[in-house]
């Protein structure tokens, strides 16, 4: 990592990203060989993913440091990193999955991502519908609204690309805030107020189907944003008990919708085979263009997605606690609980948190203790 890199993310425009490629890193052959050897070791063991430890995916120092640099880059100037050169063409789908999970054991604690409480999602068109009630974008070919994922860092490992389309779009949510401040400073306090959002059916059975969270945090030292217009509109549509959006709130959301895809803010990148894109979800927002796929099943667009809580994460505003569960820096937080969290996952989570010296969300520690006594 560049020693002059700021310790905290900064606002950026699309043109500034185009002029500075320090956020793009390419693996050396020595680093790639380290991932190959770790995969051979893990494959020979044949353990289920949630049973694996760092020792089961033993990375040489050079390969481990490549992952460390990439995660550190997501917490610095740009809030994102593109790590290129993973040998996915040499690996089967199952091997790629094992390798990616093995890498995650050296980066953070995996979070559950959907109503089935899965820890790794296949981002590919499986015939889903993005805009219907409860729809999610990762299993469709649709273009996506700008949003962030429910974790410190989202990672996408590209295994196969589309025939056309599927371009990744990223903006700085800090610069988005700055543009609102420049154009409509009266809307900043509005965006710092609580908004109600639908879980889209991904909540734990004990949770309500919606949650409160502001769009922009108000901490002057650690900026954080969370927005997904689709989920905000769904809360209005599906839950009459949710307070109605005020005219100012609608105006603020409309302004964000106009600004996010603008050429000033929106940077587009095409993910290639073997690319790993890592995004800091508190300071970036992302979307995707629609795509057309190939006909042959193994040629179809396919990315593997991980949601990670990481040891170097920033603190979050107190108003984010209802959704993230824990706002302390370096805490195991985020994810959507779903309805199928298992004792195996909770044991993995505690073991991995201890390995990375991370704080565990209080509700999860209590759940694990209760399971142990049952």
């Amino acid at each position: 990592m560049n020693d002059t890199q700021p310790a905290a993310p900064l606002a950026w425009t699309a043109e500034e990203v185009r002029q500075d490629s320090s956020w793009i890193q390419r693996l050396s052959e020595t680093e790639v060989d380290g991932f190959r050897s770790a995969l051979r070791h893990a494959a020979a063991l044949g353990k289920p993913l949630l049973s694996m430890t760092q020792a089961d995916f033993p990375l040489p120092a050079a390969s481990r440091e490549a992952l460390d640099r990439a995660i550190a880059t997501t917490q610095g100037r740009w809030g994102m990193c593109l790590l290129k050169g993973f040998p996915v063409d040499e690996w089967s789908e199952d091997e790629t999955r094992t390798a990616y999970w093995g890498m995650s054991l050296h980066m953070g604690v995996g979070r559950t991502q959907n109503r089935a409480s899965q820890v790794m999602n296949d981002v590919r068109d499986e015939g889903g519908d993005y805009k219907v009630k409860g729809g999610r974008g990762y299993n469709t070919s649709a273009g996506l609204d700008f949003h962030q994922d429910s974790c410190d860092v989202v990672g996408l490992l590209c295994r196969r690309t589309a025939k056309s389309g599927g371009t990744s779009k990223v903006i700085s949510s800090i610069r988005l805030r700055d543009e609102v401040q420049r154009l409509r400073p009266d809307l900043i306090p509005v965006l710092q107020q609580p908004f109600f959002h639908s879980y889209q059916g991904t909540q734990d059975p004990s949770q309500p189907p919606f949650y409160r969270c502001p769009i922009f945090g108000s901490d002057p030292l650690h900026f954080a944003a969370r927005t997904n217009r689709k989920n905000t509109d769904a809360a209005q549509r599906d839950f009459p008990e949710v307070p109605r959006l005020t005219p100012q709130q609608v105006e603020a959301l409309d302004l964000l919708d106009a600004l996010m895809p603008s050429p000033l803010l929106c940077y587009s990148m095409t993910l290639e085979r073997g690319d790993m894109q890592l995004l800091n979800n508190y300071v970036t927002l992302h979307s995707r263009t629609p795509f057309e796929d190939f006909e042959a099943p193994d040629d179809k667009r396919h990315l593997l997605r991980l949601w990670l809580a990481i040891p170097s994460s920033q603190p979050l505003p107190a108003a984010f606690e209802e959704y993230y569960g824990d706002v302390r820096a370096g805490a195991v937080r985020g994810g959507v609980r779903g309805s199928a969290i298992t004792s195996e996952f909770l044991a993995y989570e505690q073991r991995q948190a201890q390995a990375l010296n991370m704080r565990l969300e209080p509700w999860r520690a209590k759940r694990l203790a209760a399971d142990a006594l049952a």
Side-chain angles (χ1 to χ4, degrees):
M1 183 173 64
N2 187 335
D3 291 339
T4 64
Q5 184 176 355
L10 300 175
W12 50 258
T13 65
E15 183 57 29
E16 288 170 336
V17 172
R18 282 189 284 268
Q19 296 298 321
D20 186 333
S21 61
S22 62
W23 57 278
I24 302 175
Q25 301 170 14
R26 181 170 288 279
L27 294 169
S28 70
E29 191 58 34
T30 297
E31 292 162 349
V32 171
D33 281 343
F35 293 110
R36 290 187 179 110
S37 66
L39 175 59
R40 286 194 295 270
H41 182 90
L45 295 175
K47 285 187 175 182
L49 297 186
L50 289 177
S51 297
M52 288 175 61
T53 67
Q54 290 182 358
D56 298 323
F57 197 80
L59 286 177
S63 304
R64 173 64 184 269
E65 289 165 6
L67 296 180
D68 289 345
R69 284 194 306 272
I71 289 293
T73 300
T74 69
Q75 305 304 295
R77 166 73 175 96
W78 303 106
M80 61 181 176
C81 182
L82 187 65
L83 188 55
K84 300 179 71 67
F86 290 98
V88 296
D89 284 337
E90 302 174 10
W91 298 338
S92 68
E93 181 174 329
D94 286 344
E95 288 172 334
T96 304
R97 200 178 305 276
T98 300
Y100 196 25
W101 184 254
M103 295 174 212
S104 80
L105 297 171
H106 297 272
M107 293 190 287
V109 181
R111 317 312 299 133
T112 46
Q113 300 184 38
N114 54 20
R115 67 189 67 191
S117 304
Q118 293 174 318
V119 293
M120 186 183 296
N121 273 176
D122 294 286
V123 180
R124 57 185 167 195
D125 183 15
E126 295 177 338
D129 191 334
Y130 177 51
K131 291 295 185 179
V132 300
K133 181 177 179 179
R136 303 283 298 281
Y138 64 87
N139 60 1
T140 79
S141 61
L144 307 183
D145 297 338
F146 277 94
H147 64 285
Q148 70 302 295
D149 290 331
S150 304
C151 56
D152 297 332
V153 171
V154 55
L156 286 174
L157 179 62
C158 182
R159 181 172 172 266
R160 298 287 184 266
T161 59
K163 184 177 182 180
S164 63
T167 301
S168 176
K169 295 179 176 292
V170 186
I171 69 169
S172 162
S173 53
I174 306 176
R175 185 55 189 258
L176 176 65
R177 185 273 316 274
D178 292 349
E179 284 299 295
V180 175
Q181 178 67 44
R182 182 178 69 86
L183 296 169
R184 290 291 307 275
D186 59 305
L187 294 180
I188 293 292
V190 176
L191 290 163
Q192 292 174 337
Q193 298 169 356
F195 282 70
F196 284 78
H197 316 273
S198 171
Y199 275 112
Q200 298 282 21
T202 62
Q203 72 274 11
D204 182 282
S206 68
Q207 294 176 292
F210 54 82
Y211 63 94
R212 290 164 296 180
C213 188
I215 306 298
F216 291 159
S218 54
D219 187 328
L221 297 179
H222 302 282
F223 178 78
R226 177 166 186 82
T227 187
N228 187 334
R229 183 69 180 269
K230 175 175 175 286
N231 292 351
T232 310
D233 289 343
Q236 296 290 301
R237 180 193 67 213
D238 298 335
F239 309 118
E241 64 271 36
V242 165
R244 300 299 91 182
L245 291 171
T246 67
Q248 272 197 311
Q249 286 178 316
V250 173
E251 192 174 11
L253 293 175
D254 287 345
L255 178 59
L256 296 185
D257 285 346
L259 289 173
M260 288 188 288
S262 69
L264 174 69
L265 297 182
C266 181
Y267 178 78
S268 298
M269 68 178 91
T270 299
L271 300 184
E272 301 175 329
R273 289 188 179 192
D275 284 356
M276 184 194 296
Q277 182 195 63
L278 298 165
L279 301 177
N280 178 335
N281 281 301
Y282 308 125
V283 298
T284 66
L285 298 166
H286 60 276
S287 71
R288 181 192 75 201
T289 65
F291 65 87
E292 179 187 1
D293 239 335
F294 292 99
E295 291 298 323
D298 200 47
D299 289 337
K300 291 181 180 295
R301 185 180 191 269
H302 184 205
L303 299 90
L304 294 172
R305 186 178 73 180
L306 288 173
W307 286 358
L308 298 173
I310 63 168
S312 57
S313 67
Q314 67 180 61
L316 294 176
F320 281 47
E321 185 171 7
E322 179 178 333
Y323 186 73
Y324 284 97
D326 200 323
V327 296
R328 299 172 296 174
V332 178
R333 63 189 180 200
V336 292
R337 300 183 198 177
S339 57
I341 288 179
T342 62
S343 58
E344 289 80 10
F345 173 77
L346 292 169
Y348 149 79
E349 187 176 50
Q350 185 176 59
R351 184 175 63 247
Q352 184 68 0
Q354 290 174 344
L356 297 174
N357 195 29
M358 294 179 68
R359 299 166 171 176
L360 193 63
E361 291 173 314
W363 80 268
R364 292 181 183 274
K366 291 177 184 177
R367 168 83 176 267
L368 188 64
D371 285 355
L373 293 173

mmCIF file of all heavy atoms in Angstrom, residues 347-366:
data_model
loop_
_atom_site.group_PDB
_atom_site.id
_atom_site.type_symbol
_atom_site.label_atom_id
_atom_site.label_comp_id
_atom_site.label_asym_id
_atom_site.label_seq_id
_atom_site.Cartn_x
_atom_site.Cartn_y
_atom_site.Cartn_z
ATOM 1 N N ALA A 347 -20.944 -21.164 15.409
ATOM 2 C CA ALA A 347 -19.640 -21.633 15.873
ATOM 3 C C ALA A 347 -18.523 -21.087 14.993
ATOM 4 O O ALA A 347 -17.468 -20.663 15.494
ATOM 5 C CB ALA A 347 -19.618 -23.160 15.894
ATOM 6 N N TYR A 348 -18.729 -21.111 13.671
ATOM 7 C CA TYR A 348 -17.766 -20.496 12.750
ATOM 8 C C TYR A 348 -17.548 -19.035 13.094
ATOM 9 O O TYR A 348 -16.412 -18.548 13.165
ATOM 10 C CB TYR A 348 -18.257 -20.624 11.298
ATOM 11 C CG TYR A 348 -17.817 -19.471 10.431
ATOM 12 C CD1 TYR A 348 -16.522 -19.403 9.917
ATOM 13 C CD2 TYR A 348 -18.688 -18.410 10.146
ATOM 14 C CE1 TYR A 348 -16.115 -18.318 9.166
ATOM 15 C CE2 TYR A 348 -18.294 -17.335 9.394
ATOM 16 C CZ TYR A 348 -16.996 -17.281 8.901
ATOM 17 O OH TYR A 348 -16.595 -16.199 8.157
ATOM 18 N N GLU A 349 -18.650 -18.319 13.302
ATOM 19 C CA GLU A 349 -18.593 -16.891 13.540
ATOM 20 C C GLU A 349 -17.772 -16.578 14.795
ATOM 21 O O GLU A 349 -16.909 -15.687 14.783
ATOM 22 C CB GLU A 349 -20.020 -16.374 13.682
ATOM 23 C CG GLU A 349 -20.162 -14.874 13.766
ATOM 24 C CD GLU A 349 -21.632 -14.491 13.815
ATOM 25 O OE1 GLU A 349 -22.378 -15.058 14.639
ATOM 26 O OE2 GLU A 349 -22.023 -13.645 13.014
ATOM 27 N N GLN A 350 -18.014 -17.309 15.866
ATOM 28 C CA GLN A 350 -17.259 -17.081 17.094
ATOM 29 C C GLN A 350 -15.785 -17.438 16.905
ATOM 30 O O GLN A 350 -14.890 -16.696 17.333
ATOM 31 C CB GLN A 350 -17.853 -17.896 18.239
ATOM 32 C CG GLN A 350 -17.174 -17.610 19.580
ATOM 33 C CD GLN A 350 -17.823 -18.350 20.713
ATOM 34 O OE1 GLN A 350 -17.885 -19.581 20.701
ATOM 35 N NE2 GLN A 350 -18.302 -17.625 21.710
ATOM 36 N N ARG A 351 -15.522 -18.559 16.243
ATOM 37 C CA ARG A 351 -14.142 -18.986 16.016
ATOM 38 C C ARG A 351 -13.393 -17.975 15.155
ATOM 39 O O ARG A 351 -12.242 -17.608 15.439
ATOM 40 C CB ARG A 351 -14.165 -20.368 15.336
ATOM 41 C CG ARG A 351 -12.802 -20.991 15.119
ATOM 42 C CD ARG A 351 -12.950 -22.399 14.562
ATOM 43 N NE ARG A 351 -13.581 -22.408 13.248
ATOM 44 C CZ ARG A 351 -14.784 -22.923 13.004
ATOM 45 N NH1 ARG A 351 -15.496 -23.467 13.981
ATOM 46 N NH2 ARG A 351 -15.281 -22.913 11.777
ATOM 47 N N GLN A 352 -14.049 -17.495 14.096
ATOM 48 C CA GLN A 352 -13.409 -16.554 13.194
ATOM 49 C C GLN A 352 -13.211 -15.189 13.856
ATOM 50 O O GLN A 352 -12.191 -14.524 13.651
ATOM 51 C CB GLN A 352 -14.241 -16.416 11.907
ATOM 52 C CG GLN A 352 -13.647 -15.549 10.825
ATOM 53 C CD GLN A 352 -12.385 -16.117 10.192
ATOM 54 O OE1 GLN A 352 -11.913 -17.199 10.549
ATOM 55 N NE2 GLN A 352 -11.820 -15.388 9.253
ATOM 56 N N ALA A 353 -14.178 -14.752 14.659
ATOM 57 C CA ALA A 353 -14.028 -13.495 15.393
ATOM 58 C C ALA A 353 -12.831 -13.566 16.328
ATOM 59 O O ALA A 353 -12.044 -12.610 16.443
ATOM 60 C CB ALA A 353 -15.305 -13.185 16.167
ATOM 61 N N GLN A 354 -12.665 -14.709 17.010
ATOM 62 C CA GLN A 354 -11.519 -14.866 17.901
ATOM 63 C C GLN A 354 -10.206 -14.864 17.126
ATOM 64 O O GLN A 354 -9.213 -14.269 17.553
ATOM 65 C CB GLN A 354 -11.676 -16.160 18.704
ATOM 66 C CG GLN A 354 -12.791 -16.102 19.742
ATOM 67 C CD GLN A 354 -13.032 -17.434 20.415
ATOM 68 O OE1 GLN A 354 -12.588 -18.495 19.925
ATOM 69 N NE2 GLN A 354 -13.737 -17.420 21.535
ATOM 70 N N ALA A 355 -10.207 -15.517 15.956
ATOM 71 C CA ALA A 355 -8.982 -15.582 15.155
ATOM 72 C C ALA A 355 -8.533 -14.196 14.697
ATOM 73 O O ALA A 355 -7.329 -13.932 14.576
ATOM 74 C CB ALA A 355 -9.205 -16.486 13.943
ATOM 75 N N LEU A 356 -9.503 -13.312 14.449
ATOM 76 C CA LEU A 356 -9.194 -11.967 13.960
ATOM 77 C C LEU A 356 -9.254 -10.913 15.061
ATOM 78 O O LEU A 356 -9.130 -9.723 14.777
ATOM 79 C CB LEU A 356 -10.159 -11.597 12.832
ATOM 80 C CG LEU A 356 -10.080 -12.472 11.578
ATOM 81 C CD1 LEU A 356 -11.191 -12.106 10.598
ATOM 82 C CD2 LEU A 356 -8.715 -12.344 10.916
ATOM 83 N N ASN A 357 -9.468 -11.360 16.293
ATOM 84 C CA ASN A 357 -9.544 -10.450 17.441
ATOM 85 C C ASN A 357 -10.615 -9.388 17.243
ATOM 86 O O ASN A 357 -10.393 -8.194 17.468
ATOM 87 C CB ASN A 357 -8.184 -9.788 17.699
ATOM 88 C CG ASN A 357 -8.106 -9.138 19.072
ATOM 89 O OD1 ASN A 357 -8.771 -9.580 20.021
ATOM 90 N ND2 ASN A 357 -7.312 -8.087 19.185
ATOM 91 N N MET A 358 -11.798 -9.831 16.796
ATOM 92 C CA MET A 358 -12.911 -8.929 16.548
ATOM 93 C C MET A 358 -13.989 -9.095 17.614
ATOM 94 O O MET A 358 -14.174 -10.177 18.160
ATOM 95 C CB MET A 358 -13.508 -9.181 15.164
ATOM 96 C CG MET A 358 -12.570 -8.839 14.024
ATOM 97 S SD MET A 358 -13.312 -9.177 12.394
ATOM 98 C CE MET A 358 -14.622 -7.925 12.349
ATOM 99 N N ARG A 359 -14.722 -8.027 17.868
ATOM 100 C CA ARG A 359 -15.821 -8.049 18.832
ATOM 101 C C ARG A 359 -17.033 -8.706 18.187
ATOM 102 O O ARG A 359 -17.347 -8.441 17.034
ATOM 103 C CB ARG A 359 -16.168 -6.623 19.244
ATOM 104 C CG ARG A 359 -15.021 -5.876 19.906
ATOM 105 C CD ARG A 359 -15.330 -4.393 19.954
ATOM 106 N NE ARG A 359 -14.382 -3.650 20.764
ATOM 107 C CZ ARG A 359 -14.382 -2.333 20.895
ATOM 108 N NH1 ARG A 359 -15.295 -1.611 20.265
ATOM 109 N NH2 ARG A 359 -13.493 -1.729 21.656
ATOM 110 N N LEU A 360 -17.733 -9.512 18.959
ATOM 111 C CA LEU A 360 -18.897 -10.223 18.435
ATOM 112 C C LEU A 360 -20.161 -9.510 18.878
ATOM 113 O O LEU A 360 -20.285 -9.085 20.028
ATOM 114 C CB LEU A 360 -18.907 -11.663 18.952
ATOM 115 C CG LEU A 360 -19.859 -12.640 18.280
ATOM 116 C CD1 LEU A 360 -19.508 -12.823 16.812
ATOM 117 C CD2 LEU A 360 -19.810 -13.993 18.990
ATOM 118 N N GLU A 361 -21.119 -9.387 17.961
ATOM 119 C CA GLU A 361 -22.395 -8.745 18.273
ATOM 120 C C GLU A 361 -23.019 -9.401 19.496
ATOM 121 O O GLU A 361 -23.066 -10.632 19.587
ATOM 122 C CB GLU A 361 -23.362 -8.873 17.097
ATOM 123 C CG GLU A 361 -22.982 -8.062 15.886
ATOM 124 C CD GLU A 361 -23.886 -8.375 14.709
ATOM 125 O OE1 GLU A 361 -24.127 -9.564 14.450
ATOM 126 O OE2 GLU A 361 -24.354 -7.425 14.077
ATOM 127 N N PRO A 362 -23.524 -8.611 20.428
ATOM 128 C CA PRO A 362 -24.051 -9.193 21.674
ATOM 129 C C PRO A 362 -25.136 -10.244 21.456
ATOM 130 O O PRO A 362 -25.125 -11.286 22.116
ATOM 131 C CB PRO A 362 -24.606 -7.962 22.406
ATOM 132 C CG PRO A 362 -23.790 -6.818 21.894
ATOM 133 C CD PRO A 362 -23.509 -7.145 20.447
ATOM 134 N N TRP A 363 -26.053 -10.008 20.498
ATOM 135 C CA TRP A 363 -27.152 -10.971 20.317
ATOM 136 C C TRP A 363 -26.635 -12.309 19.824
ATOM 137 O O TRP A 363 -27.170 -13.364 20.187
ATOM 138 C CB TRP A 363 -28.214 -10.426 19.363
ATOM 139 C CG TRP A 363 -27.886 -10.538 17.913
ATOM 140 C CD1 TRP A 363 -27.273 -9.613 17.136
ATOM 141 C CD2 TRP A 363 -28.155 -11.657 17.049
ATOM 142 N NE1 TRP A 363 -27.133 -10.067 15.857
ATOM 143 C CE2 TRP A 363 -27.668 -11.308 15.769
ATOM 144 C CE3 TRP A 363 -28.761 -12.897 17.226
ATOM 145 C CZ2 TRP A 363 -27.761 -12.160 14.682
ATOM 146 C CZ3 TRP A 363 -28.845 -13.755 16.139
ATOM 147 C CH2 TRP A 363 -28.356 -13.386 14.882
ATOM 148 N N ARG A 364 -25.546 -12.286 19.041
ATOM 149 C CA ARG A 364 -25.024 -13.545 18.521
ATOM 150 C C ARG A 364 -24.313 -14.334 19.622
ATOM 151 O O ARG A 364 -24.409 -15.563 19.685
ATOM 152 C CB ARG A 364 -24.092 -13.270 17.343
ATOM 153 C CG ARG A 364 -24.825 -12.735 16.129
ATOM 154 C CD ARG A 364 -23.885 -12.491 14.951
ATOM 155 N NE ARG A 364 -24.599 -11.908 13.837
ATOM 156 C CZ ARG A 364 -25.259 -12.611 12.923
ATOM 157 N NH1 ARG A 364 -25.295 -13.911 13.004
ATOM 158 N NH2 ARG A 364 -25.881 -12.004 11.930
ATOM 159 N N ALA A 365 -23.578 -13.619 20.472
ATOM 160 C CA ALA A 365 -22.918 -14.304 21.577
ATOM 161 C C ALA A 365 -23.947 -14.956 22.505
ATOM 162 O O ALA A 365 -23.772 -16.089 22.966
ATOM 163 C CB ALA A 365 -22.049 -13.312 22.351
ATOM 164 N N LYS A 366 -25.050 -14.249 22.767
ATOM 165 C CA LYS A 366 -26.111 -14.810 23.610
ATOM 166 C C LYS A 366 -26.752 -16.015 22.949
ATOM 167 O O LYS A 366 -27.058 -17.014 23.587
ATOM 168 C CB LYS A 366 -27.163 -13.736 23.890
ATOM 169 C CG LYS A 366 -26.667 -12.614 24.791
ATOM 170 C CD LYS A 366 -27.748 -11.546 24.975
ATOM 171 C CE LYS A 366 -27.233 -10.375 25.805
ATOM 172 N NZ LYS A 366 -28.253 -9.301 25.917
#
